[in-house]
């Protein structure tokens, strides 16, 4: 195994220009440092189009696992930084070739410094001929087992073999803050991931209905929040007691309209929490047609309660696609643990799939939901997934 001393980080989404580009890089730089905050031995360098992290004695595999969760990175490579004279470049490439057990190789040079005396092709040829003379490796230009990449800069050259795909997207937090309705299910943690990937900083609100929903159910949601929060550092979760509102809804409206009314209340509460916390939009894990409350008619009647935009990143996804993503981000196994949710406890037998706005408003006129909303908000509990960190540390 070749021992590289530096990670070279490439950015994604760089159609952004001017100030946006500067903001992108500044934010990404901070997010990378935040993701690697537990490692003391690292040295960071920022250039126009790259970030370099010198590894010291830190474990490359651990660093790699952390970097894979930082949005805004298009790819990264472990690399060796050497002075850019051709002999040093050839020696280093030869050593990499000698240390590998691969059978075929290809040299791929990119000159960032166009004044360098040798052209890319000449560098490729000289390095390849050195490796061919001193090892048993063969050249394979189409499908090399060992691609050796050389990047020539003003004073240094970076020599690297493997290009590791990054998480893509925008650096978390660069596009503002959104409040996600987070349940213990499969969908909403995936929605959190998608929103973060668009550069949004996600805060969450969870509605619990004790004693009908247990402490364990709430902990499960906080565990899920902790898992997805790795993509942005940490997460603030607002836990709101929904019991009184829910009981009142059942008393007043009975079975078919209960879910629609519950969700209208959730939206109202969420909008208030969002406004109080500087979030410009809500987010949900809703997907059209998935359940009764997610028909277009339902979404429309539910959405009518608030002014704020609602981002629904999963709106057109199939369940199978959502599950694939949940597995990829590691939340699936936790999401399917059997805990009760406030919606399942009062699971109505015949939920209406085409609710009418008039009926919703009719039922809602029969009880003082504003008072219950105020009470629920007054008793909100706020949990940080990493209690020792403050939001300001990150945002
Ligand atoms: P999920 O897997 O995310 O629970 P679901 O398929 O079970 O989704 P619903 O229960 O209808 O669908 O919920 C749709 C969306 O409403 C969820 O994705 C989430 O954003 C929000 N939501 C549902 N229940 C709660 C809750 N108890 N607290 C906060 N948000 C919730
Ligand atoms: Mg659910």
């Amino acid at each position: 195994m070749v021992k590289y001393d530096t990670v070279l980080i490439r950015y994604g989404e760089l159609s952004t220009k001017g100030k946006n580009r500067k903001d992108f890089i500044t934010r990404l730089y901070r997010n990378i440092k935040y993701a690697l905050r537990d490692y003391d031995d690292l040295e960071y360098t920022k250039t126009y189009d790259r970030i370099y992290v010198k590894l010291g004695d830190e474990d490359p595999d651990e660093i790699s696992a952390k970097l894979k969760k930082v949005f805004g990175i298009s790819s990264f490579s472990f690399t060796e930084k050497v002075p850019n004279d051709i002999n040093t470049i050839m020696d280093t490439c030869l050593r990499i070739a000698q240390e590998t057990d691969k059978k075929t190789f290809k040299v791929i040079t990119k000159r960032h410094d166009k004044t360098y005396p040798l052209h890319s092709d000449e560098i490729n040829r000289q390095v390849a001929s050195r490796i061919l003379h001193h090892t048993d490796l063969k050249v394979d230009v189409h499908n090399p087992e060992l691609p050796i990449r050389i990047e020539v800069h003003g004073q240094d050259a970076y020599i690297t073999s493997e290009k590791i795909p990054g998480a893509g997207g925008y650096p978390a937090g660069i596009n503002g803050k959104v409040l996600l309705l987070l349940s213990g299910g499969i969908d909403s943690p995936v929605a959190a991931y998608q929103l973060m990937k668009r550069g949004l900083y996600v805060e969450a609100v969870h509605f619990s209905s004790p004693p009908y929903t247990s402490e364990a159910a709430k902990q499960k949601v906080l565990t899920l929040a902790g898992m997805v929060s790795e993509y942005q550092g940490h997460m603030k979760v607002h836990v709101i007691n929904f019991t009184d509102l829910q009981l009142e809804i059942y008393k007043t409206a009975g079975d078919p309209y209960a879910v629609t009314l519950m969700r209208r209340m959730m939206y109202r509460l969420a909008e208030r929490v969002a406004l109080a916390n500087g979030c410009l939009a809500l987010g949900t894990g809703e997907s059209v047609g998935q359940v009764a409350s997610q028909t277009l008619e339902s979404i429309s009647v539910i959405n009518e309660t608030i002014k704020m935009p609602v981002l629904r990143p999963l709106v057109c996804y199939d369940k199978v696609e959502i599950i694939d993503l949940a597995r990829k981000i590691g939340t699936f196994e936790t999401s399917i643990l059997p805990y009760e949710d406030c919606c399942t406890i009062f699971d109505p037998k015949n939920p209406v799939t085409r609710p009418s706005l008039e009926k919703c408003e009719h039922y809602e006129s029969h009880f003082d939901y504003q008072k219950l909303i105020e009470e629920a908000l007054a008793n909100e509990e706020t949990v940080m997934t990493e209690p020792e960190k403050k939001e300001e540390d990150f945002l």
Side-chain angles (χ1 to χ4, degrees):
M1 174 67 193
V2 183
K3 173 111 178 61
Y4 296 103
D5 60 2
T6 303
V7 193
L8 175 166
I9 297 170
R10 303 176 189 87
Y11 316 145
E13 306 267 0
L14 273 187
S15 45
T16 40
K17 294 253 158 47
K19 183 176 178 301
N20 285 348
R21 182 185 172 99
K22 197 162 166 270
D23 289 349
F24 185 110
I25 296 168
T26 307
R27 170 69 63 157
L28 179 61
Y29 187 63
R30 253 166 77 187
N31 290 3
I32 289 170
K33 280 188 150 180
Y34 190 85
L36 302 178
R37 64 193 175 279
D38 292 337
Y39 303 92
D40 299 329
D41 237 10
L42 305 175
E43 277 172 45
Y44 299 84
T45 318
K46 189 167 53 167
T47 69
Y48 177 72
D49 58 353
R50 299 274 193 273
I51 289 171
Y52 297 97
V53 185
K54 199 153 188 293
L55 286 179
D57 281 335
E58 307 295 4
D59 176 0
D61 289 339
E62 284 183 23
I63 304 285
S64 175
K66 298 270 182 199
L67 287 178
K68 279 182 188 166
K69 294 191 168 173
V70 179
F71 287 124
I73 296 180
S74 63
S75 69
F76 60 96
S77 300
F78 287 94
T79 172
E80 182 146 341
K81 181 177 164 187
V82 296
N84 74 3
D85 70 275
I86 186 66
N87 284 321
T88 312
I89 291 173
M90 285 197 296
D91 287 348
T92 311
C93 293
L94 176 60
R95 189 171 53 71
I96 290 171
Q98 284 169 332
E99 286 171 11
T100 182
D101 51 4
K102 305 278 164 54
K103 303 272 181 288
T104 58
F105 77 104
K106 176 185 178 180
V107 185
I108 307 146
T109 300
K110 202 165 160 192
R111 283 189 323 160
H112 288 251
D113 173 17
K114 300 293 179 204
T115 65
Y116 194 74
L118 298 172
H119 287 288
S120 302
D121 280 350
E122 292 169 89
I123 300 173
N124 287 343
R125 255 198 314 271
Q126 291 200 27
V127 172
S129 115
R130 181 78 163 262
I131 292 173
L132 288 168
H133 274 101
H134 292 88
T135 70
D136 293 333
L137 275 96
K138 302 261 177 299
V139 172
D140 181 344
V141 286
H142 300 299
N143 204 7
E145 287 176 40
L146 178 74
I148 298 178
R149 293 173 204 280
I150 304 171
E151 287 194 6
V152 182
H153 293 255
Q155 296 183 346
D156 308 304
Y158 290 87
I159 296 167
T160 146
S161 62
E162 195 187 359
K163 203 171 190 176
I164 302 162
Y170 287 93
I174 200 169
N175 286 329
K177 210 156 75 155
V178 58
L179 182 74
L180 173 75
L181 283 77
L182 182 66
S183 69
I186 297 168
D187 303 334
S188 41
V190 175
Y193 166 87
Q194 300 282 60
L195 293 166
M196 289 172 189
K197 188 168 184 182
R198 287 297 91 203
L200 295 161
Y201 183 79
V202 174
E203 259 182 54
V205 59
H206 175 67
F207 301 101
S208 66
S209 301
Y212 302 98
T213 59
S214 62
E215 181 60 25
K218 184 175 115 188
Q219 286 308 323
K220 175 188 171 184
V221 173
L222 296 177
T223 304
L224 288 167
M227 288 172 156
V228 284
S229 74
E230 285 185 24
Y231 289 90
Q232 69 174 14
H234 60 253
M235 193 190 279
K236 192 195 254 182
V237 186
H238 305 269
V239 182
I240 299 216
N241 186 319
F242 200 53
T243 314
D244 289 347
L245 266 166
Q246 224 174 348
L247 291 174
E248 202 59 41
I249 288 168
Y250 266 86
K251 212 166 78 194
T252 314
D255 200 88
Y257 267 75
V259 171
T260 312
L261 295 179
M262 261 159 43
R263 303 196 67 78
R264 281 167 62 91
M265 295 304 164
M266 283 185 183
Y267 268 46
R268 288 183 173 115
L269 281 161
E271 185 180 52
R272 288 283 300 276
V273 176
L275 288 170
N277 288 277
C279 302
L280 293 183
L282 300 182
T284 75
E286 289 162 316
S287 164
V288 168
Q290 205 184 75
V291 287
S293 62
Q294 296 176 26
T295 62
L296 207 48
E297 289 86 350
S298 290
I299 290 180
S300 146
V301 162
I302 292 163
N303 210 144
E304 191 274 341
T305 50
I306 61 167
K307 285 214 180 75
M308 197 171 260
V310 181
L311 308 181
R312 301 180 177 87
L314 306 181
V315 76
C316 295
Y317 279 50
D318 294 344
K319 195 77 193 184
V320 185
E321 292 168 325
I322 299 173
I323 289 174
D324 281 351
L325 264 172
R327 284 191 202 281
K328 184 180 136 189
I329 64 173
T331 51
F332 182 72
E333 298 301 331
T334 304
S335 285
I336 57 173
L337 292 174
Y339 285 117
E340 65 288 348
D341 183 66
C342 64
C343 297
T344 47
I345 290 283
F346 297 91
D347 200 14
K349 302 294 158 286
N350 302 301
V352 60
T353 51
R354 294 181 180 193
S356 96
L357 182 57
E358 288 69 37
K359 277 200 173 160
C360 290
E361 287 174 343
H362 168 76
Y363 288 131
E364 285 171 359
S365 71
H366 282 80
F367 68 106
D368 189 358
Y369 67 84
Q370 273 309 346
K371 179 168 155 274
L372 294 172
I373 284 182
E374 297 307 329
E375 280 171 14
L377 290 171
N379 293 314
E380 178 206 302
E381 179 198 357
T382 309
V383 186
M384 289 300 268
T385 56
E386 271 196 75
E388 74 277 12
K389 296 283 173 202
K390 291 197 292 297
E391 196 175 338
E392 303 82 80
D393 289 344
F394 185 75
L395 273 181

